[in-house]
Amino acid sequence: MPQSALPRLSGDCPRRCLHCWARALSLCAALGSVELHDLEKLGKETRFAPKESLFSEDENASKVYSLTQGVARLYRLLPDGRRHIVGFALPGDFLGTTLSDRYSFSADAITPIVACRFSKEGFSRFAEDKPKMLRRMNEFEVRELHLARNQMLLLSSRSAEQKVALFLIGWRDRLARLGEEPKTLPLPMKRRDIADFLGLTIETVSRTFTQLEREKVIINLPKGFRLLNLARAEALAWT
């Protein structure tokens, strides 16, 4: 288990898929060593610097990406030009799968990212005769529906304090799944990103973080936060 999954970058090595720490979290967990080797030959390890685009909304959806390190921002542009963030991708997430010929959202790097990049057509051919992998893909789709449901809850008629508390708890839970359970939880995205995700203004998000700190629910830190009162945060999120 890595000390920190988010900013860590690994070097290239033979049989990288077999030794990839994120494999247990990804679609690749359904594959044996021989199948992993075959998949590795289809893909290329690709690195993205912060702010660099993985793909853009309405581009030809010719590639799919399995994130192994870093954090990506997923967003759509609204007709009036505003940005709506639909989620944040973490190691183990698989991006770019769509039934359409074009991507339905854009993805860019918040932190340095490492991802395995495959042609969509080649990956589909590889997966089609592997029942375990197809089941794993179905599990991912169910999880995405769950995340979409949580997004609807976040954007529903809740107070700013409730929305921020729900976001922080959800982020903590996702990091825990990666093995990230330090006292200080990293928040690599900007306040603007959180505001766009929650449907709030950046001023409201900043005031809410300050209010939660005043209530001793969290401590705000330069690159993250520390959760002081989990019970209070959960009560805020779910009431």
Side-chain angles (χ1 to χ4, degrees):
M1 182 181 297
Q3 291 182 346
S4 179
L6 303 189
R8 178 176 167 270
L9 295 179
S10 63
D12 296 325
C13 64
R15 305 301 296 272
R16 68 177 185 274
C17 291
L18 188 62
H19 301 290
C20 174
W21 78 269
R23 178 163 64 93
L25 303 169
S26 73
L27 293 177
C28 306
L31 302 177
S33 59
V34 174
E35 292 172 321
L36 275 174
H37 186 52
D38 292 339
L39 179 62
E40 184 176 325
K41 289 186 289 185
L42 292 177
K44 179 181 180 182
E45 187 175 76
T46 309
R47 295 165 186 264
F48 299 89
K51 299 183 181 180
E52 189 174 357
S53 173
L54 282 73
F55 55 83
S56 297
E57 185 177 1
D58 290 332
E59 275 185 354
N60 181 32
S62 61
K63 305 292 183 184
V64 293
Y65 299 83
S66 180
L67 263 64
T68 59
Q69 294 171 46
V71 183
R73 174 176 35 228
L74 315 178
Y75 63 94
R76 294 190 181 102
L77 292 178
L78 302 177
D80 61 5
R82 289 181 298 122
R83 183 186 66 173
H84 170 51
I85 291 184
V86 297
F88 301 98
L90 289 169
D93 288 338
F94 204 81
L95 303 178
T97 54
T98 174
L99 297 177
S100 171
D101 292 334
R102 299 190 176 277
Y103 297 116
S104 59
F105 57 84
S106 300
D108 60 24
I110 293 177
T111 68
I113 279 179
V114 178
C116 293
R117 183 181 66 193
F118 305 92
S119 78
K120 183 181 175 183
E121 183 180 357
F123 184 84
S124 297
R125 284 200 306 268
F126 175 83
E128 65 186 5
D129 63 347
K130 296 176 176 59
K132 290 183 179 179
M133 193 167 197
L134 292 174
R135 282 198 296 271
R136 183 82 169 164
M137 291 173 73
N138 287 335
E139 290 170 3
F140 271 52
E141 289 174 4
V142 169
R143 191 176 76 193
E144 286 178 6
L145 288 173
H146 177 70
L147 291 174
R149 175 181 174 275
N150 283 348
Q151 173 73 349
M152 290 176 65
L153 285 172
L154 283 169
L155 296 176
S156 65
S157 55
R158 290 170 174 263
S159 69
E161 195 172 50
Q162 288 172 315
K163 288 182 179 183
V164 171
L166 190 57
F167 170 76
L168 294 178
I169 289 173
W171 185 247
R172 181 212 58 173
D173 292 346
R174 293 188 69 197
L175 293 181
R177 181 173 170 269
L178 298 178
E180 294 276 341
E181 298 185 80
K183 289 183 179 179
T184 299
L185 294 165
L187 271 181
M189 67 287 292
K190 296 182 181 298
R191 292 286 193 268
R192 167 64 67 188
D193 295 330
I194 297 173
D196 288 349
F197 182 64
L198 298 179
L200 300 170
T201 66
I202 187 172
E203 293 81 10
T204 298
V205 168
S206 295
R207 282 198 304 270
T208 303
F209 269 85
T210 300
Q211 179 64 26
L212 289 173
E213 184 168 49
R214 190 177 297 121
E215 295 174 3
K216 301 189 184 304
V217 178
I218 63 171
I219 295 177
N220 290 308
L221 299 166
K223 295 184 178 180
F225 70 100
R226 189 170 296 167
L227 191 56
L228 296 180
N229 191 334
L230 175 59
R232 173 61 178 155
E234 290 179 335
L236 282 171
W238 298 110
T239 54

